[in-house]
Amino acid sequence: MGGFFGTISTRDCVNDLFYGTDYNSHLGTRRAGMVTFDQEKGFSRSIHSLERDYFRSKFEDELDSFSGNQGIGVISDTDPQPILVNSHLGRFAVTTVGIVTNKDELVQEILKSGTHFLEMSGGEINQTELILALINTQKTIVDGIRYVQSKIQGSITMLVATPDGIYGARDKMGRTPLQIGIKKDAQGSILSHCLSFESFAYINLGYKDLHELGPAEIVYVTADRYEVLQEPQKE
């Protein structure tokens, strides 16, 4: 399985991202990754194996290398992620939770279009890289997410971090959760929003429940608001 956490804030987000991602450690034991975006430095990313150590011990010494007001992190039982790309859709990072059961069919379809994949050990293709490639076939990121939902068999819930905000999309049938939290200061001003696989990850960081996405729902989140880009389906 696995779990992820994303946050976007009016201030530096690194501590919230680190601890929010760490709270998903019970969901995966294979790999973990974090990526942040800073207006001056751009994207910064790190991925580590968790097979012989814990998330905190792997990433704690690297926290000073991260900066920015937004980021996404993942604990994964599958492939290395988040994946970073600079494409015709701009710069963005993708992380996913779930499984694509028609992965081989989709890989062959993408290869025929002239796209290539970075092959991992054992000849496997990174599932999140496949999702990114499907998104990149469309004219916008939102159209790309909708395309993924229409093409895959299985269940994929994802976060897509761009320089301006974070897209969140729950899998088509709502098999895996995705929730939005909000953090305010003592005066009631909004400080941050987050997207999380499980709510306790952000409640422990001072966020409160704001919205739970329905099946196939797509949202766009900034520091001060969230917008529904695709309403949830009833099925």
Side-chain angles (χ1 to χ4, degrees), residues 149-196:
Q149 292 175 336
S150 71
K151 291 292 288 185
I152 71 161
Q153 296 172 15
S155 172
I156 286 291
T157 295
M158 73 180 83
L159 299 180
V160 180
T162 74
D164 299 314
I166 301 174
Y167 295 89
R170 190 173 179 182
D171 72 283
K172 191 172 182 179
M173 302 304 294
R175 295 183 178 95
T176 51
L178 182 55
Q179 301 180 78
I180 300 175
I182 187 172
K183 181 188 283 190
K184 299 181 179 180
D185 63 17
Q187 288 72 44
S189 298
I190 297 174
L191 297 175
S192 312
H193 281 88
C194 69
L195 297 118
S196 182

Side-chain angles (χ1 to χ4, degrees), residues 21-233:
T21 304
D22 181 50
Y23 282 128
N24 290 282
S25 292
H26 64 290
L27 295 169
T29 58
R30 192 172 181 188
R31 294 185 177 91
M34 293 199 318
V35 59
T36 56
F37 179 79
D38 182 278
Q39 290 294 338
E40 294 183 0
K41 293 172 57 179
F43 284 103
S44 299
R45 184 187 66 162
S46 181
I47 298 173
H48 289 292
S49 169
L50 300 182
E51 292 177 331
R52 293 185 179 145
D53 218 334
Y54 298 108
F55 175 84
R56 289 197 185 190
S57 60
K58 286 287 189 179
F59 286 86
E60 208 159 21
D61 292 340
E62 296 182 345
L63 287 186
D64 289 343
S65 66
F66 290 99
S67 63
N69 72 322
Q70 65 159 300
I72 56 177
V74 61
I75 305 285
S76 176
D77 250 351
T78 54
D79 308 325
Q81 49 172 320
I83 301 291
L84 269 172
V85 70
N86 191 354
S87 75
H88 72 286
L89 298 177
R91 295 174 295 162
F92 62 95
V94 179
T95 188
T96 66
V97 170
I99 187 168
V100 179
T101 58
N102 61 334
K103 177 181 171 182
D104 292 342
E105 171 190 328
L106 292 175
V107 165
Q108 291 305 313
E109 185 177 316
I110 293 292
L111 288 174
K112 288 178 182 178
S113 71
T115 300
H116 69 274
F117 293 98
L118 298 177
E119 193 172 281
M120 298 189 300
S121 60
E124 285 294 310
I125 301 299
N126 187 315
Q127 179 174 272
T128 301
E129 186 181 0
L130 170 61
I131 298 303
L132 187 151
L134 290 169
I135 291 173
N136 269 329
T137 64
Q138 304 301 300
K139 293 182 178 180
T140 69
I141 289 176
V142 177
D143 287 343
I145 294 172
R146 292 188 180 116
Y147 185 65
V148 169
Q149 292 175 336
S150 71
K151 291 292 288 185
I152 71 161
Q153 296 172 15
S155 172
I156 286 291
T157 295
M158 73 180 83
L159 299 180
V160 180
T162 74
D164 299 314
I166 301 174
Y167 295 89
R170 190 173 179 182
D171 72 283
K172 191 172 182 179
M173 302 304 294
R175 295 183 178 95
T176 51
L178 182 55
Q179 301 180 78
I180 300 175
I182 187 172
K183 181 188 283 190
K184 299 181 179 180
D185 63 17
Q187 288 72 44
S189 298
I190 297 174
L191 297 175
S192 312
H193 281 88
C194 69
L195 297 118
S196 182
F197 191 74
E198 294 183 341
S199 62
F200 84 93
Y202 59 74
I203 289 172
N204 288 340
L205 296 172
Y207 293 80
K208 296 185 181 300
D209 290 324
L210 182 61
H211 177 67
E212 181 175 0
L213 277 69
E217 186 172 355
I218 303 172
V219 297
Y220 180 69
V221 180
T222 60
D224 59 357
R225 66 182 178 89
Y226 81 92
E227 177 185 0
V228 176
L229 304 179
Q230 176 170 280
E231 296 288 341
Q233 67 176 22

